[in-house]
């Protein structure tokens, strides 16, 4: 909302500087987002009088001028290149330091700063400007010559009447009363303790017949249109508005159209009451009927756009057809034109909800609908109409027909709210007296009655936001001043429950950092085609920003792969990432569903891709493979104190990954790790191998953060190496399990240290060499005991897998 | 007799030690005195013929001599090693074997700093879903179905009554409905707005909401809490101001600004020439919100606040485009 400082002063006497007023407005909740000094770009330009012109001694086309820049000082020497410069002219002079908006010698017309200069040896103390240079016209051929009566020494902004200052106010949706100059002035008057000056309405009804003789109004939907008024003004002349009106509208950002439309806009900006002017002669059967649209009715609004209506819209109709969408926009068929002779002036109160629904559905937002949606003052309707009619009579030469048609069957009264003094102080933490609070509310125009320790407040109808006690407490706080309310830095002691989740998530993050993973934050939305590769249970956004951001991510993988690709495209040779974030599926499950039909998961994603080592003086280049990620994940689970882990080795590859390993903890599936399939990589245009792991955090963080100490053996351990030759299809895991099971509790660790294939052990065979560590909790193991144990292990592996012992 | 021999050997050792400098000299010395059939070993043979009552004394003398001879040998050897041994040269300028280290995302860092301040003030932490229903995101928070306040937050819809949460405030409803007062929690998380993506705004970003509900909670306590947070987070010498504002779920509502730390309040591009940066919105929990959670506003009161994380992070880390945070370039991430 743009507020003109100049116009504001018509309604309130302001003794403070614009900057101070702006600070005051901000302090009462009408935030001044910016202050615009309209004439600022013309700082350093003044009106001067050319007193003498002579030829430049060194340049044919230049003149040396003496220009008087004020009544009191001597004339200044200025070199000028314009052919039309002559003594006696009133001209616009840019002084050193001023910025010329457009350089006419620059192809793009860029601005430049003026300095004192010598031009071909002659000193020049400024520049006489063309209209092009000032950005107020296109003429480059000569300087602007002003009317001879223009006073010397006034600033250009004064000359152009650009001396106004405009506040850009951020008005919150609860304050429709401040979408007008009078509304803003009223709040300022309250806080400054000064009085509000309403504009004087000059109002003479010239015609000696009543409006009721020539016009009727019928309202069919009183709920949507509780009040409708109409006035008629005859014999108007539609033309350009006077200078003051055009300047006001331009300053606050509206384009002047014609005097009638401009007046309705002016009164809206003055009172906050939107008005509409119809061409009376285009209204069939001299009547207005306010009713709902017909289903599938077509209607063309003032902006030449055609709309199809669904029957819920409240329309303003004449005897035959619709002429406006109530409270939103007028129609083409009844708009004011230069031919208009008689005006029907509508001033009404429409229900906020009804206007909002219609404006939303049709995708129209106008200055009128914006105000009606937020709530206008039903009791300001006629006052605004009188103000506008008076101005039309004055400016457009119209004659006002006697009387007004005012359909207002149920008068909207001020509401009464009890404000308890103790409640004010309880909420604010203050100690304000009844008298103090009463005084503050009265400055806002709220009438009060004292009742015991309460105030019974009558709230003016221009404040629809004040509905209950807390709304009045806010008004007290606002006017008392937030700064005057104490800052209490001790609060009641409430102990919060420490969060287990936080501890675990923090531990996981720390671990990820310590093993070299970078945390990423990726998009939660992606395109449907890519997402379908990952799941068919997708959640789609109804109104996406673009098709690339249409569905919620079903896994962290696709959006993390975007980050992988970005890094490869920017020269990375190794990409190690982790992300903690939400994923979404369209399915219902007791554990993960909080919104019907939707499951939301908290996931940890890990990615390894590219070089595990670059080539260095101490190591060869090596690419990450599945065992890097497998080891990493096992180390994470062990770090988190999870031990009942079961890995599931999938034979077949899924569409997403090959070499896939599923992970179960205490019998619950928590995720998987694997190498991304070619199909996935191709979709993301990634050429290098990518290893991915996704784990469900809700399981990882469910573990108890307090770990119990497990006693370890005090006796020495013994290590024995052993190698088996087996068929290739026997896995290392099989042998390891067999060793563990046959060795029993004494085998404390098994480590595979060599895999060998070759002719010496026979085609189709491989050799697996393990180092087995044995230890007892009760005693030192004897050589004979160990030998017996090893024999048992060997016998078991040999008989179960047809293995043969290989001598090391 | 044997004692004499020990003494003479002692002086012999000292004499030889003084002149032995080469490997050969030292080896010759070792063989002469310390070898299995050397002069000291033969003393032990001689000891057998010493009368029993003197054996301990003489034995000790031999031991001392043996120890001396060994020490001399070690000393000579180490002298020779340090003067003549060839040192293997190590090029210490070779690059060290670097360990990989990862990083935390800068947005995570900001949230963690905020968390740690509020946790120290007694706040717990709570989370809620990113896909919310209209009830939690709007209705229970006192946004009437057709109120223009809904325009304050451009919304992504999944269904007519299911949205991507536009703020973390719905978690307040979930917390109030699942717990009893007193409550003091903050609620961090990701939120969504249907707004064009630019250097200054993204369609998703992060917020930290806060809620305190108890008997007799006041606006004065809210101000004190926010000032304490701001001084901890932005520095104890910051200047701040409170402005009345409007949120449907709080009343009275406020916004808090601090002096722009880029221009120190003179006015710049970042603060839009105002000299102030808005850092958070807050207010007293609206009685309608309490009623929606079956709390009696005559018995409890409370305050709530919410702050954006991403824009604050831009200024905090000197990043000039919000999209940089979500491009996830390792060269960027590596700096945090």
């Amino acid at each position: 909302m743009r507020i003109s400082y100049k116009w504001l002063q018509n309604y309130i006497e302001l003794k403070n500087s614009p900057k101070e007023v702006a600070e005051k407005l901000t302090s009462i909740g009408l935030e001044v987002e910016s202050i615009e000094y309209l004439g600022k770009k013309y700082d350093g330009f003044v009106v001067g009088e050319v007193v003498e012109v002579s030829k430049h001694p060194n340049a044919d086309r230049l003149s040396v001028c003496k220009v008087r820049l004020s009544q009191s000082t001597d004339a200044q020497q200025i070199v000028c290149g314009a052919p039309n410069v002559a003594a006696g002219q009133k001209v616009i002079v840019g002084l050193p330091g001023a910025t010329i908006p457009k350089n006419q010698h620059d192809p793009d017309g860029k601005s430049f700063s003026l300095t004192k200069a010598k031009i071909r040896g002659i000193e020049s103390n400024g520049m006489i400007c063309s209209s092009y240079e000032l950005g107020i016209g296109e003429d480059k051929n000569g300087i602007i010559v002003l009317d001879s009566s223009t006073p010397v020494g006034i600033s250009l902004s004064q000359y152009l009447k650009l001396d106004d200052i405009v506040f850009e106010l951020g008005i919150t949706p609860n304050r429709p009363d401040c979408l007008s100059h009078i509304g803003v002035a009223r709040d300022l008057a309250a806080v400054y303790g000064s009085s509000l000056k309403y504009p004087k309405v000059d109002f003479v009804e010239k015609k000696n017949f009543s409006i009721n003789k020539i016009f009727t109004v019928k309202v069919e939907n009183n709920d949507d249109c509780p009040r409708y008024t109409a006035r008629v003004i005859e014999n108007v002349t539609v033309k350009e508005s006077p200078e003051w009106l055009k300047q006001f509208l331009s300053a606050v950002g509206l384009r002047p159209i014609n005097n009638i439309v401009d007046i309705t806009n002016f009164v809206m900006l003055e009172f906050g009451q939107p008005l509409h002017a119809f061409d009376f002669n285009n209204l069939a059967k001299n009547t207005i009927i306010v009713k709902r649209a017909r289903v599938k009715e077509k209607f063309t609004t003032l902006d030449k756009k055609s709309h199809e209506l669904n029957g819920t819209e409240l329309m303003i109709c004449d005897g035959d057809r619709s002429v406006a969408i109530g409270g939103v926009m007028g129609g083409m068929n009844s708009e004011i034109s230069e031919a208009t002779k008689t005006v029907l002036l509508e001033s009404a109160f429409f229900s906020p909800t009804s206007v909002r629904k219609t404006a939303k559905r049709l995708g129209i937002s106008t200055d009128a609908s914006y105000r009606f949606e937020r709530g206008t003052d039903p009791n300001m309707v006629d006052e605004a109409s009188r103000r506008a009619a008076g101005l039309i009579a004055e400016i457009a030469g119209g004659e006002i027909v006697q009387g007004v048609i005012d359909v207002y069957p149920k008068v909207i009264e001020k509401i009464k709210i009890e404000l308890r003094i103790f409640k004010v102080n309880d909420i604010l933490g203050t100690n304000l007296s009844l008298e103090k609070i009463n005084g503050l509310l009265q400055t806002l125009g709220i009438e009060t009655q004292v009742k015991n320790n309460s105030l019974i407040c009558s709230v003016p109808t221009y404040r629809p936001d004040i509905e209950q006690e807390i709304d009045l407490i806010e008004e007290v706080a606002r006017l008392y001043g937030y700064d005057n309310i104490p800052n209490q830095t001790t609060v009641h002691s409430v102990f919060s429950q420490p969060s287990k989740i936080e501890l675990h998530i923090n531990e996981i993050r720390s671990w990820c950092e310590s093993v070299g993973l970078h945390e990423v934050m990726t998009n939660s939305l992606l395109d449907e085609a890519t997402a379908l590769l990952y799941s068919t249970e997708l959640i789609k956004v109804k109104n996406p920003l673009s098709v690339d951001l249409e569905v919620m991510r079903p896994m962290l993988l696709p959006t993390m792969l975007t980050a992988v690709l970005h890094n490869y495209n920017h020269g990375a040779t190794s990409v190690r990432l982790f992300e903690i974030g939400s994923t979404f599926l369209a399915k219902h499950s007791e554990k993960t569903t909080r919104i019907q039909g939707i499951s939301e998961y908290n996931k940890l994603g890990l990615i390894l891709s590219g070089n595990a080592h670059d080539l260095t003086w101490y190591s060869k280049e090596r690419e990450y493979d599945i065992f890097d990620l497998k080891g990493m994940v096992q180390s994470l689970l062990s770090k988190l104190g999870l031990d009942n882990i079961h890995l599931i080795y999938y034979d077949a590859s899924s569409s997403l990954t090959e070499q896939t390993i599923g992970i179960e903890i205490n019998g619950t599936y928590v995720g998987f790790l694997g190498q991304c399939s070619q199909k996935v990589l191709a979709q993301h245009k990634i050429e290098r191998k990518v290893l991915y792991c996704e784990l469900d955090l809700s399981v990882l963080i469910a573990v108890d953060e307090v770990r119990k100490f497990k006693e370890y053996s005090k006796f020495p351990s013994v290590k024995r190496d052993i190698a088996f030759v087996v068929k290739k299809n026997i896995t290392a895991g099989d042998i390891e399990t067999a060793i563990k099971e046959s060795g029993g509790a004494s085998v404390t660790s098994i480590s595979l240290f060599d895999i060998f294939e070759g002719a010496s052990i026979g085609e189709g065979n491989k050799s697996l060499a393990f180092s087995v560590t044995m230890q007892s909790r009760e005693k030192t193991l004897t050589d004979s005991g160990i030998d017996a144990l090893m024999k048992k292990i060997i016998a078991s592996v040999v008989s179960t897998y047809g293995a043969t012992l290989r001598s090391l | 007799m044997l004692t004499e021999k020990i003494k003479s050997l002692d002086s012999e050792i000292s004499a030889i030690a003084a002149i032995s400098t080469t490997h050969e000299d030292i080896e010759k010395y070792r063989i002469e005195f310390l070898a299995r059939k050397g002069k000291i070993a033969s003393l032990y043979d001689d000891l057998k013929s010493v009368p029993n009552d003197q054996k301990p004394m003489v034995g000790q003398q031999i031991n001392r001599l043996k120890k001396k001879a060994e020490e001399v040998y070690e000393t000579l050897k180490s002298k020779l090693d340090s003067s003549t041994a060839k040192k293997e040269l190590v090029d210490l300028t070779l690059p060290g074997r670097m360990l990989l280290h990862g990083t935390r995302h800068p947005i995570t860092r900001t949230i963690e700093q905020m968390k740690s301040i509020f946790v120290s003030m007694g706040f717990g932490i709570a989370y809620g879903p990113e896909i919310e229903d209209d009830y939690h995101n709007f209705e229970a928070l006192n946004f009437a179905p057709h109120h223009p306040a809904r325009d304050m937050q451009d919304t992504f819809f999944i269904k007519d009554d299911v949205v991507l949460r536009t703020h973390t405030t719905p978690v307040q409803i979930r917390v109030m409905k699942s717990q009893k007062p007193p409550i003091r929690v903050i609620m961090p998380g990701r939120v969504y707005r249907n707004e064009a993506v630019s250097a200054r705004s993204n369609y998703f970003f992060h917020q930290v909401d806060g809620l305190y509900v108890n008997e007799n909670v006041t606006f004065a306590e809210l101000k004190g809490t926010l000032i304490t947070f701001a001084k901890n987070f932005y520095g104890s010498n910051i200047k701040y101001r409170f402005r009345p504002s409007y949120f449907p779920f709080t009343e009275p509502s406020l916004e808090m600004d601090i002096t722009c730390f880029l221009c120190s309040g003179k006015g710049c591009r970042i603060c839009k020439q105002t000299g102030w940066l808005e850092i958070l919105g807050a207010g007293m929990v609206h009685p309608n919100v309490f009623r929606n959670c079956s709390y009696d506003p005559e018995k409890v009161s409370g305050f709530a606040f919410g702050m954006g994380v991403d824009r604050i992070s831009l200024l905090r880390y000197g990043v000039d485009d919000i999209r940089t945070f979500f491009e996830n370039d390792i060269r960027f991430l590596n700096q945090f």
Side-chain angles (χ1 to χ4, degrees), chain A residues 420-702:
Chain A
R420 296 163 297 173
I421 301 307
F422 81 85
K423 195 71 184 170
V424 175
N425 290 318
D426 274 3
I427 291 285
L428 299 182
T430 49
N431 196 14
L432 301 176
S433 66
L434 182 144
E435 291 70 31
K436 175 78 185 165
I437 292 168
N438 200 4
L440 290 172
L441 291 175
Q442 281 174 351
T443 60
L444 279 173
I446 294 171
E447 290 160 18
T448 55
Q449 266 176 287
V450 179
K451 186 185 141 193
N452 302 330
N453 259 323
S454 291
L455 291 169
I456 307 298
C457 303
S458 297
V459 182
T461 47
Y462 54 75
R463 289 300 302 271
D465 60 312
I466 302 180
E467 295 173 317
Q468 48 180 296
E469 187 178 40
I470 193 71
D471 302 319
L472 288 167
I473 295 174
E474 178 174 58
E475 292 306 301
V476 172
R478 209 166 61 84
L479 290 180
Y480 180 61
Y482 280 16
D483 288 343
N484 296 324
I485 296 171
N487 304 323
Q488 194 182 323
T489 49
T490 53
V491 292
H492 301 272
S493 179
V494 175
F495 300 118
S496 65
Q497 293 171 348
S499 160
K500 252 169 79 171
I501 298 173
E502 291 304 311
L503 289 172
H504 288 304
I505 297 271
N506 195 39
E507 182 155 27
I508 290 170
R509 271 211 177 87
S510 296
W511 177 86
C512 288
E513 270 185 298
S514 71
V515 298
L517 301 171
H518 296 290
E519 185 180 19
V520 292
M521 284 198 177
T522 65
N523 278 351
S524 317
L525 288 161
L526 73 162
D527 68 284
E528 190 173 15
T530 304
L532 276 170
L533 238 130
Y534 298 88
S535 174
T536 50
E537 296 169 307
L538 297 176
I539 295 167
K540 232 173 146 168
V541 174
K542 276 173 70 179
N543 56 336
L545 269 176
S546 73
V547 288
D548 292 339
L549 303 170
E550 207 175 8
V551 297
M552 300 301 288
R553 58 181 176 196
M555 291 175 72
L556 297 175
L557 178 56
T559 51
M560 286 184 83
L561 284 176
T562 308
V564 172
L565 178 67
H566 170 90
N567 282 295
Y568 279 137
N569 285 346
H570 290 82
T573 56
S574 176
V575 183
R576 309 175 306 269
L577 309 176
F578 79 101
E579 178 165 15
I580 292 174
S582 298
T583 63
F584 311 86
L585 289 177
K587 68 179 187 193
H588 205 88
S589 128
E590 220 164 277
K591 268 177 122 181
T592 50
T593 295
R594 272 175 290 191
I595 304 296
Q596 182 73 26
I598 289 167
S599 284
E600 198 170 319
Y601 309 87
N602 196 12
K603 292 287 176 83
L604 168 68
L606 308 173
I607 276 187
L608 290 178
S609 179
N611 290 354
H613 302 291
D614 288 330
L615 179 63
T616 60
W617 65 274
Y618 57 83
S619 81
K620 285 193 190 131
E621 188 175 286
R622 182 173 77 79
E623 191 171 23
Y624 279 119
D625 67 25
I626 188 76
F627 300 104
D628 288 299
L629 188 60
K630 184 186 177 189
M632 192 175 259
V633 172
Q634 284 176 314
S635 132
L636 168 65
L637 300 179
S638 147
K639 168 76 181 157
L640 294 177
L642 296 160
D643 45 16
N644 190 6
I645 298 159
H646 179 53
L647 299 181
I648 309 153
Y649 301 97
Y650 294 109
D651 294 334
S653 54
S654 74
S655 64
L656 290 182
T657 51
E658 37 204 57
Q659 304 178 344
T660 311
I661 303 172
I663 302 158
E664 279 180 3
I665 296 171
N666 297 325
T668 309
Y669 180 83
V670 292
F672 70 95
L673 65 100
Q675 180 180 325
C676 291
S677 71
Q678 275 313 310
K679 197 173 156 195
V680 164
L681 294 182
Q683 175 83 25
H684 290 272
K685 302 188 174 66
I686 294 171
E687 284 162 5
R688 297 194 70 170
K689 199 195 282 180
V690 176
L691 303 149
Y692 178 68
C693 172
E694 186 165 296
L695 298 174
D696 194 331
L697 276 177
S698 64
V699 182
L700 295 195
I701 61 187

Side-chain angles (χ1 to χ4, degrees), chain A residues 356 420 427 471 474 482 485 487-488 491 502 510 513 518-519 521-522 524 542-543 566-567 600, chain B residues 102-105 108 115 127 130 146 151 155 157 160 190 192 219-220 223 251 253 298 328-330:
Chain A
R356 180 171 164 84
R420 296 163 297 173
I427 291 285
D471 302 319
E474 178 174 58
Y482 280 16
I485 296 171
N487 304 323
Q488 194 182 323
V491 292
E502 291 304 311
S510 296
E513 270 185 298
H518 296 290
E519 185 180 19
M521 284 198 177
T522 65
S524 317
K542 276 173 70 179
N543 56 336
H566 170 90
N567 282 295
E600 198 170 319
Chain B
T103 49
R104 261 170 220 230
H105 198 279
T108 303
K115 273 187 204 166
Y127 296 92
E130 291 175 26
H146 292 285
D151 292 347
T155 310
F157 288 91
D160 286 341
R190 182 175 285 197
Y192 302 82
F219 194 81
K223 283 178 70 192
E251 188 159 16
S253 302
E298 290 298 309
N328 299 304
D329 194 307
I330 293 168

